[in-house]
Amino acid sequence: MHSFGYRANALITLGVTVLALMCAMASLSDNLNSPTPSAQVQVLNVNWFQKQRNGNEEVSLTLNISADLQSMFTWNTKQVFVFLAAEYETPKNSLNQVSLWDDIIPSKERAKFLIHTTNKYRFIDQGSNLQGKEFNLTLHWHVMPKTGKMFADKIVMTGYRLPEEYR
């Protein structure tokens, strides 16, 4: 016959093994989710476009941001950090990114939204590179899980242009 210690060790080992297998299966089930988010941004107005005393240019925009990010929420999603960035090229830099707006989405119910806002953060270029400049608006998101690694992706929207003259 086996001793009590031997039987307790076998039972605990079996329990931990079953628990590890269940955790692995749960983690794999979340990886099988393929989200299909959608987003659209409209630039309703250029509120102002001016050159500052130090030579930098600043733009204020009125935006309509609509998105449906509900497909990113699974049993393992704690929250989603989302931000809108203006992206453009200059002679010095192949990619300039300026964050215009951000939010934290804590639940699936709040993941479908339409927001009418001005840029939350200042849209400033260090230099005189924005007049008549074409730019993209990119909606980035970072899915923060309850367990496991973070997932990030984006939707790029093209076809935006700044005015030729200061306002």
Side-chain angles (χ1 to χ4, degrees), residues 44-97:
L44 299 177
N45 189 30
V46 177
N47 301 325
W48 76 77
F49 179 34
Q50 61 192 12
K51 189 166 191 160
Q52 299 174 334
R53 290 182 190 172
N54 59 7
N56 297 338
E57 293 176 324
E58 181 176 3
V59 181
S60 174
L61 304 170
T62 300
L63 306 165
N64 263 355
I65 306 168
S66 64
D68 183 0
L69 308 177
Q70 291 179 327
S71 63
M72 288 189 272
F73 280 84
T74 66
W75 65 270
N76 192 30
T77 305
K78 181 177 181 181
Q79 64 187 15
V80 177
F81 175 70
V82 61
F83 68 97
L84 182 70
E87 299 178 344
Y88 58 96
E89 291 182 19
T90 59
K92 278 187 168 182
N93 301 307
S94 62
L95 178 63
N96 294 279
Q97 291 181 311

Side-chain angles (χ1 to χ4, degrees), residues 116-128:
H116 178 80
T117 185
T118 58
N119 46 304
K120 187 175 177 180
Y121 304 107
R122 297 173 71 182
F123 185 174
I124 296 177
D125 180 68
Q126 296 177 344
S128 299

Side-chain angles (χ1 to χ4, degrees), residues 2 13 21 25 33 36 38 59-60 118 125 134 140 144 153:
H2 297 291
T13 302
L21 284 173
M25 289 185 337
N33 180 40
T36 55
S38 62
V59 181
S60 174
T118 58
D125 180 68
E134 287 188 15
H140 297 262
M144 297 172 190
D153 207 355

